[in-house]
Amino acid sequence: MTDSNQDRHDWHELAQQLRVDSVRSSSLAGSGHPTSSLSAAELMAVLIAKHLRYDVSSPHAANNDHLIFSKGHASPLYYAILLAIGAIGEEEFETYRRLGSRLEGHPTPVLPWVDVATGSLGQGLPIGVGVAMAGKKLDRLPYRVWVLCGDSELAEGSIWEAAAQASYDKLDNLMAILDVNRLGQTGPTRYEWDLDIYAQRFKAFGWQTIEIDGHDVAEVDAAYSKAAATEGRPTAIIAKTVKGKGVSAVENKNGAHGKPVPDEAAAIEELGGRRNIRLKPQLPDGKATAHAFRGGGALALPTYEKGSQVATRKAYGDALLALGKADPRIVVLDGEVGNSTYTETFAKEIPERFFQMYIAEQQMLSSAVGMHVRGWKPFAATFAAFLTRAYDFARMAAVSRANICLCGSHAGVSIGEDGPSQMGLEDLAMMRAIFGSTVVYPCDANQTARLLALLADQPGVTYMRTTRQATPVIYGADEDFELGGSRVLRSSADDALAIVTAGVTVPEALAAAATLAQDGIAARVIDLYSIKPLDLATLSAAANDIGHVLTVEDHWPEGGIGEAVFSALSTAGTGVKGELLAVRHMPGSATPEQELAEAGIDRTAIVAGAKRLIGG
Amino acid sequence: MTDSNQDRHDWHELAQQLRVDSVRSSSLAGSGHPTSSLSAAELMAVLIAKHLRYDVSSPHAANNDHLIFSKGHASPLYYAILLAIGAIGEEEFETYRRLGSRLEGHPTPVLPWVDVATGSLGQGLPIGVGVAMAGKKLDRLPYRVWVLCGDSELAEGSIWEAAAQASYDKLDNLMAILDVNRLGQTGPTRYEWDLDIYAQRFKAFGWQTIEIDGHDVAEVDAAYSKAAATEGRPTAIIAKTVKGKGVSAVENKNGAHGKPVPDEAAAIEELGGRRNIRLKPQLPDGKATAHAFRGGGALALPTYEKGSQVATRKAYGDALLALGKADPRIVVLDGEVGNSTYTETFAKEIPERFFQMYIAEQQMLSSAVGMHVRGWKPFAATFAAFLTRAYDFARMAAVSRANICLCGSHAGVSIGEDGPSQMGLEDLAMMRAIFGSTVVYPCDANQTARLLALLADQPGVTYMRTTRQATPVIYGADEDFELGGSRVLRSSADDALAIVTAGVTVPEALAAAATLAQDGIAARVIDLYSIKPLDLATLSAAANDIGHVLTVEDHWPEGGIGEAVFSALSTAGTGVKGELLAVRHMPGSATPEQELAEAGIDRTAIVAGAKRLIGG
């Protein structure tokens, strides 16, 4: 390449190299998506040769541009780029899709140049929006975010949540490159090569749009220049491309998705043979530093008086503000329910680090992941029920090795009258089944504050479950808790059973234990506030001492506290006789007290369950 | 009302009655969303008085129009309508939000006039699209689908999946009524009263749009007439309205969301007092009958030769076709991966009952639920991993009491090279935690076919997990299975442990048992193909006989087979010593065999785990 990286002939050669290398790696692996890579070769060649500002040797440099492959299945093309820019060598390049390789079937951040894992379509652009929001509103740096999208994934609603967010936030640092190659996995896309339809939609969503021939390097170059020079709105470059471009055996042919080309040697020959172009993208301004917000200092968590009545969601809001004051890298996002989740407490005092995401939970999580990419510490909250809307994004956040803290409020039937659509009754199952997650479920305000402070320093996807109703403060403000811990609230030498619960049913368990005591039945009560990891030592001790364990949870029976406890005990070698109280009917509307009673998880039900258990 | 229901003065009076009644019910309940109801009173008054074609006495009549409150929190308005049209009486009306009442905080189908549960925003319109698809392509009846949407929910991506689907399918029987009242839960919406923004977006998505003053009954009437007369595309009526309209204490005021008006009596007086208007919507053409597809007859399931190698996903496709031939009410939907899930087998032979939903999983589930509303039997499939995208829709399908059959293919690490983004590793946790769900996980082709036939007749949300790789056919084609069943594949009087597993790890367990036998260790092998419900009798027998249980699953440890088994045994009173083998690291790319080995769930790992268990 020339020094300037700006020669059109060289761009074409580079594009052909990216094609050849895409064919090579997928043929060697025996799987992968070369045809989806071939369509975007010019789009990427021109980008890395001229427009991308990126220090390959310092992938986390503050002012680097970001390149996100929303169409993660085009990983052959992505890895061909890494080879061309010298991020990886030929030896590693040839490990594509093999055991132990960093070059996975879809890119993940095990490679330091990859910001986030993609491969679940419709996620790269929303996360790119999050990175661009960080650039504009947090880092306040001029880096750009380039997102390569497929045309098939434009059917995902998350794309349009992202499109709305991007124009609303005037993200002129965001460029979506739409590789409209007409063919999806099984056949033509809905709109094939009707670029105008995409253009109309992005325009209506407030974007600048530029329609080009995606194989004409001059058009690609001009489009990028125009996009980069545009202020006040994001740009969608809508590129007409040909899937499998350059390899006649697969070019624009249905049925060639997701498999190596039929004849590698013929394809490489047709593409003009192997090349060995190596180039570096231009460097970003190395001196620019990210904005830092004022503040910081010692953490002063809120405290609550023992015996008072405070909802854990309220304490979450108070603690979040305290954490935000102590750590200026903390940012908060909410799905337009901040007066329910109490993120409004933070928003009122620290508006510059609060992001109103409106009712777009997928974008809320994506923005959180995008801000994590730039080292911010995102806390995102909505109703526990509505986090189900973004489960794929939480799942992928774990693959992205993202550190984000989620809060689901209004968990369980105890919300009362609003009814089942608003009751998070599967959130523990859902969040426990996120790789590497931490899940806590506090029962009182002081515990909420302490646990949230611990989550702030915990890597991975963390989750706090809060509840709507005010509950009694049972812990002093000076009590310590730990992730993986629990608290024995009541015990004696002659305990006949252990009651294990957390959250809103802890007061119910204590009341039940008091009633049972009157009947001469001693019950140990364990507050299992850390649902994942579990305090196996305390549980095992109870199991060994007593042998009867009753669990109670305001959650469906599947995947929650009871299953976690009984399987942990069994695999620790301590089989017990158990009773699992959970919500086993479809709730309707009623008061919180009635709901707990109807679900069979209130104090009366616990007493009855305990007698059943030890009598049985 | 006049007989014609067409007098504008009467419409105004009816609107005021709907307002008064919305105020009354929410005040009586002490909660609810009257202000979100007041804004849409004229929109609904004109609809029920003139345009809706609906037989109140026969809510499931084939040719009834459908009215879906996508903004389900406006339930006071909905129940005021039911009162006005004589569906319910005053006594029941006053039970709003009380224990045992059919008038829940958000509407659910416990009321026969309610098609689907709403309350999770952004779901009513997508489901309405599904009903409209049924009207056009299945029932072939002229009924219309009217969906009342809030403006806040237009931020949800699912709305735009629906918008794309509706225009693509030319659903001129679909009318979205957008109640743009400017205020969300916590403050102004993103676009407040900028109706043009919404209009531009719906237009770009291929809709007719009509902007009106939503409180001017003549404009509302004209818009409905125009929408009803329009062919070839859906219509969005974009109505500028005032939240809290008619009650000055709350009119257009922030902070009045989701709570009763401050002074009920004053509000009713301001609205002109209680009225007692009763009216019936016009009747639909009662003689019209739904289209029935030809076909039907005895079910001829596919059969596979014992010892051959067939992927369960392939057998799913074959069985689906057989079911579709036998039952002409079966319809199939896929998220543009039909050559992976094998729904293409059905699509090729029965294209008129196959729906290509492109990569829009939320709309896929919504369309399935919408088709269920009209009595069709929907089967929807995509990768297990991508069903996470639609978890909120599966959750709400259960609240809707919908009967839909989901299939997640490519489950687990055994998919191999594509990597973690494509591996469904939380699907069992997710689908088990759906109220009333049934979850099966077949290990071979004959079992797959038999189980799918059982799911076809099972109410609720059902789920079949299939896998990518070919696996050995171990069952004869004549073997019977049952939901809630299991199969003991190997046992002896001196079993030292039971190995419980399902799906792709069944052959691994059998191989491990053979190896263990060589070492003098007898292992019972249980194929737990029905994950929910569980075969507790067989499990308990094994637990009581043996006391050592090892579970294996190609799934995260949380919420899957192991937790289900160990908690069921504990609560059945049979504590065991257990070993839970599951995927405990973040996988990368590798061959299927390597993946199973790396995850510690292959035959070698099972042998080691078994020895650990019985030695420990």
Side-chain angles (χ1 to χ4, degrees):
Chain A
M1 299 293 281
T2 59
D3 274 359
S4 72
N5 289 347
Q6 299 206 10
D7 186 283
R8 288 182 192 175
H9 174 70
D10 287 354
W11 293 340
H12 173 73
E13 282 297 300
L14 177 58
Q16 291 297 83
Q17 169 176 307
L18 296 177
R19 287 196 169 94
V20 168
D21 291 346
S22 296
V23 165
R24 286 203 297 128
S25 60
S26 48
S27 292
L28 202 56
S31 68
H33 298 76
T35 58
S36 306
S37 297
L38 299 182
S39 59
E42 282 84 8
L43 292 169
M44 290 299 100
V46 176
L47 182 67
I48 62 170
K50 179 170 172 189
H51 296 272
L52 190 74
R53 302 168 304 188
Y54 193 83
D55 184 349
V56 178
S57 66
S58 181
H60 300 295
N63 213 15
N64 272 352
D65 281 0
H66 295 262
L67 171 59
I68 297 173
F69 265 50
S70 195
K71 52 179 291 187
H73 57 288
S75 58
L77 177 60
Y78 184 74
Y79 300 139
I81 292 172
L82 292 190
L83 182 64
I85 64 175
I88 59 172
E90 175 67 22
E91 193 176 348
E92 180 167 21
F93 180 72
E94 293 180 4
T95 65
Y96 179 49
R97 288 179 165 244
R98 292 190 198 283
L99 176 65
S101 172
R102 298 191 298 177
L103 277 55
E104 299 185 15
H106 296 74
T108 77
V110 299
L111 283 165
W113 305 276
V114 177
D115 285 328
V116 290
T118 51
S120 179
L121 289 172
Q123 295 210 15
L125 185 62
I127 294 170
V129 167
V131 179
M133 289 171 75
K136 281 276 171 195
K137 305 196 166 202
L138 297 171
D139 290 330
R140 303 181 189 177
L141 284 172
Y143 58 75
R144 297 188 185 119
V145 182
W146 307 84
V147 182
L148 179 66
C149 295
D151 46 352
S152 284
E153 68 177 318
L154 302 179
E156 289 283 16
S158 55
I159 291 289
W160 302 100
E161 292 184 18
Q165 184 70 40
S167 61
Y168 189 72
D169 280 345
K170 302 184 170 52
L171 300 181
D172 50 26
N173 54 345
L174 176 71
M175 287 79 181
I177 304 165
L178 312 187
D179 177 19
V180 185
N181 66 21
R182 196 187 69 84
L183 290 171
Q185 173 174 326
T186 67
T189 61
R190 211 178 236 152
Y191 307 116
E192 304 204 26
W193 274 324
D194 190 342
L195 271 59
D196 287 350
I197 285 193
Y198 298 120
Q200 284 160 18
R201 293 183 183 183
F202 274 94
K203 265 194 203 113
F205 273 72
W207 290 51
Q208 170 173 239
T209 61
I210 308 173
E211 296 176 48
I212 60 169
D213 172 350
H215 300 306
D216 181 324
V217 291
E219 285 194 32
V220 174
D221 177 38
Y224 291 165
S225 293
K226 184 176 175 188
T230 297
E231 292 188 359
R233 58 191 170 142
T235 296
I237 292 143
I238 305 169
K240 180 177 176 180
T241 63
V242 178
K243 194 162 177 173
K245 174 76 176 179
V247 178
S248 50
V250 293
E251 196 174 279
N252 197 27
K253 288 207 171 77
N254 196 21
H257 180 93
K259 52 182 81 158
V261 299
D263 184 336
E264 180 190 8
I268 293 175
E269 188 183 343
E270 185 179 357
L271 291 165
R274 281 183 65 168
R275 289 143 176 100
N276 192 27
I277 304 168
R278 296 293 179 268
L279 79 166
K280 293 290 178 199
Q282 61 175 307
L283 291 175
D285 174 5
K287 276 173 245 143
T289 56
H291 173 76
F293 289 93
R294 270 189 293 260
L299 175 62
L301 284 176
T303 59
Y304 305 90
E305 201 174 336
K306 242 171 128 164
S308 62
Q309 294 272 332
V310 184
T312 53
R313 62 182 171 129
K314 171 74 167 58
Y316 167 81
D318 297 342
L320 194 55
L321 174 59
L323 286 161
K325 285 179 175 170
D327 183 351
R329 296 196 71 75
I330 283 177
V331 296
V332 175
L333 306 94
D334 195 281
E336 224 280 274
V337 289
N339 54 356
S340 290
T341 60
Y342 278 102
T343 61
E344 69 173 12
T345 310
F346 183 103
K348 280 175 186 164
E349 286 214 35
I350 315 182
E352 66 277 17
R353 286 188 274 138
F354 175 79
F355 297 88
Q356 175 58 270
M357 301 304 297
Y358 297 95
I359 304 182
E361 295 81 6
Q362 298 183 121
Q363 185 57 48
M364 181 173 74
L365 262 75
S366 299
S367 290
V369 171
M371 292 172 184
H372 148 82
V373 165
R374 285 292 310 128
W376 299 91
K377 294 172 73 170
F379 287 66
T382 183
F383 282 35
F386 304 143
L387 283 175
T388 57
R389 199 62 152 263
Y391 191 31
D392 196 18
F393 295 78
R395 173 183 83 89
M396 288 296 295
V399 186
S400 288
R401 282 70 171 172
N403 305 320
I404 59 173
C405 182
L406 305 178
C407 174
S409 74
H410 292 65
V413 300
S414 70
I415 65 163
E417 290 83 355
D418 268 340
S421 65
Q422 319 292 301
M423 294 169 173
L425 287 165
E426 56 291 297
D427 58 320
L428 294 178
M430 170 174 82
M431 296 308 303
R432 287 181 63 239
I434 295 283
F435 179 78
S437 67
T438 303
V439 177
V440 301
Y441 180 18
C443 69
D444 90 347
N446 283 321
Q447 191 181 46
T448 302
R450 290 296 187 116
L451 290 175
L452 194 67
L454 296 175
L455 291 189
D457 294 322
Q458 179 76 347
V461 178
T462 63
Y463 178 61
M464 173 173 278
R465 178 184 226 219
T466 65
T467 45
R468 176 172 179 265
Q469 296 297 104
T471 46
V473 176
I474 64 170
Y475 292 111
D478 55 348
E479 292 221 36
D480 267 331
F481 302 98
E482 55 183 330
L483 302 178
S486 70
R487 183 71 91 242
V488 178
L489 290 173
R490 182 184 177 120
S491 72
S492 70
D494 53 354
D495 285 336
L497 80 158
I499 303 173
V500 180
T501 189
V504 75
T505 43
V506 167
E508 301 300 316
L510 287 170
T515 301
L516 287 165
Q518 290 168 1
D519 294 342
I521 301 168
R524 188 173 303 179
V525 176
I526 299 174
D527 172 13
L528 195 74
Y529 58 82
S530 177
I531 311 289
K532 181 183 175 188
L534 276 187
D535 181 358
L536 188 57
T538 299
L539 291 170
S540 287
N544 285 319
D545 293 355
I546 308 172
H548 289 90
V549 174
L550 178 148
T551 63
V552 197
E553 61 199 295
D554 192 358
H555 187 272
W556 303 129
E558 296 87 7
I561 294 172
E563 291 198 350
V565 166
F566 291 121
S567 64
L569 289 174
S570 296
T571 55
T574 321
V576 293
K577 285 189 193 297
E579 179 83 27
L580 193 161
L581 302 185
V583 182
R584 293 177 189 271
H585 74 301
M586 177 58 77
S589 289
T591 66
E593 297 70 26
Q594 289 169 335
E595 295 279 5
L596 290 177
E598 287 287 304
I601 55 173
D602 70 345
R603 54 197 69 190
T604 308
I606 296 170
V607 168
K611 290 181 176 173
R612 213 160 46 230
L613 176 62
I614 60 173
Chain B
M1 298 293 283
T2 60
D3 273 357
S4 72
N5 289 346
Q6 299 208 12
D7 186 284
R8 289 182 190 174
H9 174 69
D10 287 353
W11 293 342
H12 173 75
E13 282 297 301
L14 177 57
Q16 291 297 85
Q17 170 177 304
L18 296 177
R19 289 196 167 94
V20 168
D21 290 346
S22 297
V23 166
R24 286 203 297 129
S25 61
S26 48
S27 293
L28 202 57
S31 68
H33 298 76
T35 58
S36 306
S37 297
L38 298 182
S39 58
E42 282 83 9
L43 292 168
M44 290 299 101
V46 175
L47 181 68
I48 61 170
K50 179 170 172 190
H51 296 272
L52 191 75
R53 301 169 303 187
Y54 193 83
D55 184 349
V56 178
S57 66
S58 182
H60 300 295
N63 213 15
N64 271 351
D65 280 0
H66 294 263
L67 171 58
I68 296 173
F69 265 49
S70 195
K71 51 178 293 188
H73 57 288
S75 59
L77 176 61
Y78 184 75
Y79 300 139
I81 291 172
L82 292 190
L83 182 65
I85 64 175
I88 60 172
E90 175 68 21
E91 194 176 347
E92 181 168 20
F93 181 73
E94 294 180 4
T95 65
Y96 180 48
R97 288 178 166 246
R98 292 189 199 284
L99 177 65
S101 172
R102 298 191 296 177
L103 278 55
E104 299 184 16
H106 297 73
T108 77
V110 297
L111 283 165
W113 304 276
V114 177
D115 286 327
V116 290
T118 51
S120 181
L121 289 172
Q123 296 210 13
L125 185 62
I127 294 171
V129 167
V131 178
M133 288 171 75
K136 281 276 171 195
K137 305 196 166 203
L138 297 171
D139 291 329
R140 304 182 188 175
L141 284 172
Y143 58 74
R144 297 189 184 118
V145 182
W146 307 84
V147 182
L148 180 66
C149 296
D151 46 352
S152 284
E153 68 178 318
L154 303 179
E156 290 282 17
S158 55
I159 292 289
W160 302 100
E161 292 184 17
Q165 184 70 41
S167 61
Y168 188 72
D169 280 345
K170 302 183 170 53
L171 300 180
D172 51 25
N173 55 344
L174 176 70
M175 287 78 181
I177 305 165
L178 313 188
D179 177 19
V180 184
N181 67 22
R182 195 185 71 83
L183 290 170
Q185 173 175 325
T186 68
T189 61
R190 214 178 232 151
Y191 307 115
E192 304 204 27
W193 274 324
D194 190 342
L195 270 60
D196 287 349
I197 285 192
Y198 297 119
Q200 284 160 17
R201 292 183 183 183
F202 274 94
K203 263 194 203 111
F205 273 73
W207 289 50
Q208 169 173 236
T209 60
I210 307 173
E211 296 177 48
I212 59 168
D213 173 349
H215 300 306
D216 181 323
V217 291
E219 285 194 31
V220 174
D221 176 39
Y224 291 165
S225 294
K226 183 175 175 188
T230 297
E231 291 189 359
R233 57 192 170 142
T235 297
I237 293 142
I238 306 169
K240 180 177 176 179
T241 63
V242 178
K243 194 162 177 173
K245 174 75 175 179
V247 177
S248 50
V250 294
E251 196 174 279
N252 198 26
K253 288 206 170 79
N254 198 20
H257 179 92
K259 52 182 81 159
V261 299
D263 184 335
E264 179 190 9
I268 294 176
E269 189 184 342
E270 186 179 356
L271 291 165
R274 282 182 64 167
R275 290 147 177 93
N276 192 27
I277 303 168
R278 296 293 179 269
L279 79 164
K280 294 290 178 199
Q282 61 174 308
L283 291 174
D285 173 3
K287 276 172 247 145
T289 55
H291 172 76
F293 289 93
R294 269 189 293 260
L299 174 63
L301 283 176
T303 60
Y304 305 90
E305 201 175 337
K306 244 170 126 164
S308 61
Q309 295 272 332
V310 184
T312 54
R313 60 180 173 130
K314 170 74 167 56
Y316 167 81
D318 297 341
L320 195 55
L321 174 59
L323 286 162
K325 285 179 174 169
D327 183 352
R329 297 198 69 75
I330 284 177
V331 296
V332 175
L333 306 94
D334 196 282
E336 225 279 276
V337 289
N339 54 356
S340 291
T341 60
Y342 277 101
T343 60
E344 70 173 10
T345 310
F346 183 103
K348 280 174 187 164
E349 287 216 33
I350 315 182
E352 67 277 17
R353 287 188 272 139
F354 176 78
F355 297 88
Q356 175 56 269
M357 301 305 297
Y358 296 95
I359 304 183
E361 295 83 5
Q362 298 182 123
Q363 185 57 49
M364 180 174 75
L365 262 75
S366 299
S367 290
V369 171
M371 291 171 184
H372 148 82
V373 165
R374 285 292 310 130
W376 299 91
K377 294 172 75 171
F379 287 66
T382 184
F383 282 34
F386 304 142
L387 283 175
T388 57
R389 199 61 154 264
Y391 192 30
D392 196 18
F393 295 78
R395 173 183 82 90
M396 287 297 295
V399 186
S400 288
R401 281 71 171 172
N403 305 320
I404 59 174
C405 182
L406 305 178
C407 174
S409 73
H410 292 66
V413 300
S414 69
I415 65 162
E417 290 83 355
D418 268 340
S421 65
Q422 320 292 302
M423 296 169 173
L425 287 166
E426 56 291 296
D427 58 319
L428 294 178
M430 171 174 81
M431 296 309 302
R432 288 181 65 239
I434 295 284
F435 178 77
S437 66
T438 302
V439 177
V440 300
Y441 180 19
C443 70
D444 89 348
N446 283 321
Q447 191 181 47
T448 302
R450 291 295 188 118
L451 289 176
L452 194 66
L454 296 175
L455 290 189
D457 294 322
Q458 179 76 346
V461 177
T462 64
Y463 177 62
M464 173 173 278
R465 179 183 224 221
T466 65
T467 45
R468 175 172 179 268
Q469 296 299 103
T471 46
V473 176
I474 64 169
Y475 291 111
D478 55 348
E479 293 222 36
D480 267 331
F481 302 98
E482 55 183 330
L483 302 178
S486 70
R487 184 70 92 241
V488 178
L489 290 174
R490 181 184 179 118
S491 71
S492 70
D494 53 353
D495 285 335
L497 80 157
I499 303 174
V500 181
T501 189
V504 76
T505 44
V506 166
E508 301 300 317
L510 287 170
T515 301
L516 287 166
Q518 291 168 2
D519 295 342
I521 300 169
R524 187 172 304 180
V525 177
I526 299 174
D527 171 14
L528 195 73
Y529 58 81
S530 176
I531 310 289
K532 181 183 175 187
L534 275 188
D535 181 359
L536 188 57
T538 300
L539 291 170
S540 287
N544 285 319
D545 292 356
I546 309 171
H548 289 91
V549 174
L550 178 147
T551 61
V552 197
E553 61 199 295
D554 191 359
H555 187 272
W556 302 129
E558 296 87 6
I561 294 173
E563 290 199 350
V565 167
F566 292 120
S567 64
L569 289 175
S570 297
T571 56
T574 322
V576 293
K577 284 191 194 296
E579 181 83 27
L580 194 162
L581 301 186
V583 182
R584 294 176 188 275
H585 74 300
M586 177 59 75
S589 289
T591 67
E593 297 70 27
Q594 290 169 335
E595 295 280 4
L596 290 177
E598 287 287 303
I601 55 173
D602 70 345
R603 54 197 69 190
T604 308
I606 296 171
V607 168
K611 291 180 175 173
R612 212 160 47 230
L613 176 61
I614 59 173

